[in-house]
Amino acid sequence: MARRVSWFAWFWYVLGALYFIIPLWGTFVFSLQKERGTFSLAAYQSAFADPKFAETFLYSNVMAVLTIIFSLLLVVPTAYWVHLRVPRMRPVVEFITLMPFVIPAIVLVFGLIKTFSRPLTILGVTVLPPLTNSSLSTDFLLVAGYVVLSLPYMYRAVDNGLRAMDVGTLTEAAQSLGAGWGTILWRIILPNLRSALLSGALLTFAIVVGELTIATFLGRPAFGPYLALIGNHKVYEPAALAIVSFGLTWLAMGIIDRVTRGQGGTTTGAH
Amino acid sequence: MAFLSLTNVRKVFPNAQTAAVEDFTLDVEKGEFVSFLGPSGCGKTTTLRMIAGFETPTAGAIVMDGKEISNERPNQRNIGMVFQSYALFPNMTVADNIGFGLKVKGAPKTDIKQRVTEMLALIKLEQLGGRYPYQLSGGQQQRVALARAIAIRPKLLLLDEPLSALDAKIRVSLRNEIRAIQRQLGITTIYVTHDQEEALSLSDRVVVMNHGVIEQVGQPFEIYNFPKTAFTASFVGTLNMHDATVLDAAAGEVRLAGASIAVPSAALGGHRAGDTVKVALRPELLYVHPTGAAVENTLTGVVENVAFLGAVARIHLAVGDTTILVDEFNNPQLSVPAIGSTLTTYFTPESCMVLG
């Protein structure tokens, strides 16, 4: 009986794997056919030779790193405080962090442009100049948009990490030993959230590097719009870059798996 | 002047109908080991948390070493605390856990290292300084938690049910260790537990709590043998507690389970014939009647059950509608009474406690 269940499970497992692997394999084979009648890496060479590739890829990487930093600064203290002091607010915060799933990126970017493309005034006093007037301030707007997009992933990762530890008691133990809030966050909470933070950061990285809508409408030279552009003008290079993107994503997942594997452990030793 | 004084301390949690702790007044001397004993929800942990600074009293004052600390932050109080769940920092080794408090205080590295070595020797885990908490057993983790709490040389040590998560054998050995270390260091200690055996065996004094108020404060011997309230009598130790009718208050005579029983007449002061009082008897103060001997208080009934508990055999004796527990010390030469047999038990008037 157990063996039958096992075969049944394997059947669905293989079917699911084929569903993902066959298109990917097709894309990979296609990316090798730039030169007629032979398999070659010409499409990859062509894609990497384009200076725009390196430029946009680097730009998106910088934006991703900034997004991760701002996300962590926003999410970690918020999630920690919700766990520690206002657990009743958890559903509200969860709802807010899920908003990017409901509100399309196009709505978000138009909201950002509409709000921040003019000076923000309070009682006739300008408190914030237009943020779309310079590259630097538009980059700031782009990162802000990315932080919102990454909220569901980053918050959930941090929240799961906090649920896995006894935040309240660890905090109280540290306080009784003389630690203040900064020490507790830096020395106790963050190190114990390491794998959760890494998961959130890598998911954020994956989202930001390929993001199209916000970068396009803010007119920034990001990797997502570049991919869309060459997809419209070239044949084999988009397939090559898609394979590269998959490779990078798998690399990120591999790092998550490597870092999170073996965390925790069981009680051993003699009493 | 007491080292730690709690005066009329009260705690009402937001949206709560009743106070978690009410009018709590207690003086603790330097070096004393005091246990808060009571059932779940009696306010013992809340009181401990107010001393630690994790809860703010709604009213009253907490004074330690001559200084009012009621509104001081927990990290300013220099109070060590051991938690039921150990609360060791999972990202740090045993040595780092023990040295954490000193590091926070900015102690020099050499001092930290020396103190950690001392503490590891104190808890007899010299070889395990480099291990992580998940590599230790529960008992070892709790010893590390104790070492971490005392490494900072706290003015006061608080232990919140530290042995509850451990198995019975480890509990007994660790509680002896805790007491030995406390005596060695002379550190003033407050220990919260719902385990009466733990409280009685460890403490200089026991504070029995119920529904947020102190029922009785006293030495373990006093608490066990001279309980002031029915709650203390029933919560601490096993007890026969039954309603009895006063027959003659001046002569100290009551009717219990259909029999006329002599109790200390002073205990019936203020009562009149016909009043109902509660008479309490420890099972170990009832004896199986030696055939033919004349004794003052006797109850005869049918053996309902005999529970062998190791050191004692607990006999459940049905006397009319009342079940009386009688503890007979284990003696391999004597057989325990058969279920269904008739048995007479006797006890002295002085062993009867009259409550309420």
Side-chain angles (χ1 to χ4, degrees), chain A residues 172 175 192 266-267 270-271, chain B residues 49 75 91 134 136 140 170:
Chain A
E172 287 178 355
Q175 282 180 311
N192 287 303
T266 52
T267 297
H271 291 285
Chain B
R49 290 173 60 79
N75 58 349
N91 57 311
Y134 74 87
L136 305 178
Q140 288 170 335
I170 305 297

Side-chain angles (χ1 to χ4, degrees), chain A:
Chain A
M1 187 71 189
R3 196 156 180 84
R4 272 187 202 170
V5 172
S6 175
W7 279 112
F8 189 69
W10 271 108
F11 169 76
W12 287 109
Y13 179 78
V14 169
L15 194 70
L18 289 175
Y19 182 80
F20 285 103
I21 290 168
I22 289 172
L24 201 59
W25 177 252
T27 307
F28 177 61
V29 171
F30 183 71
S31 74
L32 300 175
Q33 292 174 332
K34 186 175 168 71
E35 290 175 349
R36 196 175 291 258
T38 179
F39 289 120
S40 73
L41 295 173
Y44 292 87
Q45 285 166 343
S46 165
F48 294 148
D50 184 355
K52 283 279 178 197
F53 167 78
E55 188 188 311
T56 56
F57 191 66
L58 179 67
Y59 176 84
S60 282
N61 274 274
V62 172
M63 291 300 111
V65 170
L66 290 172
T67 304
I68 289 165
I69 292 168
F70 283 106
S71 286
L72 291 177
L73 288 174
L74 176 71
V75 170
V76 174
T78 306
Y80 173 60
W81 204 248
V82 166
H83 271 263
L84 193 67
R85 289 283 185 264
V86 278
R88 284 175 302 153
M89 290 298 287
R90 191 186 289 163
V92 177
V93 177
E94 276 182 4
F95 177 76
I96 292 168
T97 61
L98 288 175
M99 292 304 272
F101 285 153
V102 184
I103 299 170
I106 187 91
V107 176
L108 174 66
V109 71
F110 270 108
L112 286 170
I113 292 169
K114 194 164 172 54
T115 309
F116 295 105
S117 63
R118 65 185 81 170
L120 193 65
T121 55
I122 296 174
L123 300 170
V125 180
T126 302
V127 290
L128 192 69
L131 292 180
T132 48
N133 283 1
S134 74
S135 298
L136 192 67
S137 58
T138 312
D139 285 346
F140 178 78
L141 217 49
L142 182 69
V143 170
Y146 285 164
V147 167
V148 175
L149 279 191
S150 70
L151 268 182
Y153 309 99
M154 188 59 95
Y155 181 81
R156 217 138 299 276
V158 173
D159 187 57
N160 285 341
L162 288 170
R163 280 174 201 243
M165 64 168 127
D166 188 352
V167 175
T169 313
L170 287 179
T171 301
E172 287 178 355
Q175 282 180 311
S176 73
L177 295 165
W181 292 115
T183 308
I184 294 169
L185 262 175
W186 188 248
R187 305 276 307 279
I188 311 293
I189 302 301
L190 285 178
N192 287 303
L193 279 178
R194 189 183 55 166
S195 55
L197 296 182
L198 194 71
S199 300
L202 289 176
L203 284 169
T204 301
F205 188 86
I207 291 162
V208 170
V209 167
E211 203 282 330
L212 171 68
T213 315
I214 298 179
T216 303
F217 281 89
L218 285 175
R220 303 309 299 144
F223 191 57
Y226 170 73
L227 280 179
L229 187 71
I230 63 160
N232 290 336
H233 296 94
K234 296 190 176 180
V235 181
Y236 298 98
E237 283 79 356
L241 288 176
I243 294 297
V244 170
S245 296
F246 267 108
L248 287 173
T249 308
W250 284 342
L251 182 70
M253 287 168 71
I255 293 170
I256 294 174
D257 184 58
R258 184 84 182 170
V259 171
T260 55
R261 192 180 293 173
Q263 295 257 316
T266 52
T267 297
T268 57
H271 291 285

Side-chain angles (χ1 to χ4, degrees), chain B residues 141-152:
Chain B
Q141 287 190 57
Q142 199 55 297
R143 273 145 74 189
V144 174
L146 178 66
R148 183 180 67 177
I150 56 184
I152 57 169

Side-chain angles (χ1 to χ4, degrees), chain B residues 4-18:
Chain B
L4 175 74
S5 286
L6 289 94
T7 310
N8 305 121
V9 171
R10 183 169 199 262
K11 177 67 186 179
V12 185
F13 286 106
N15 306 320
Q17 303 289 322
T18 53

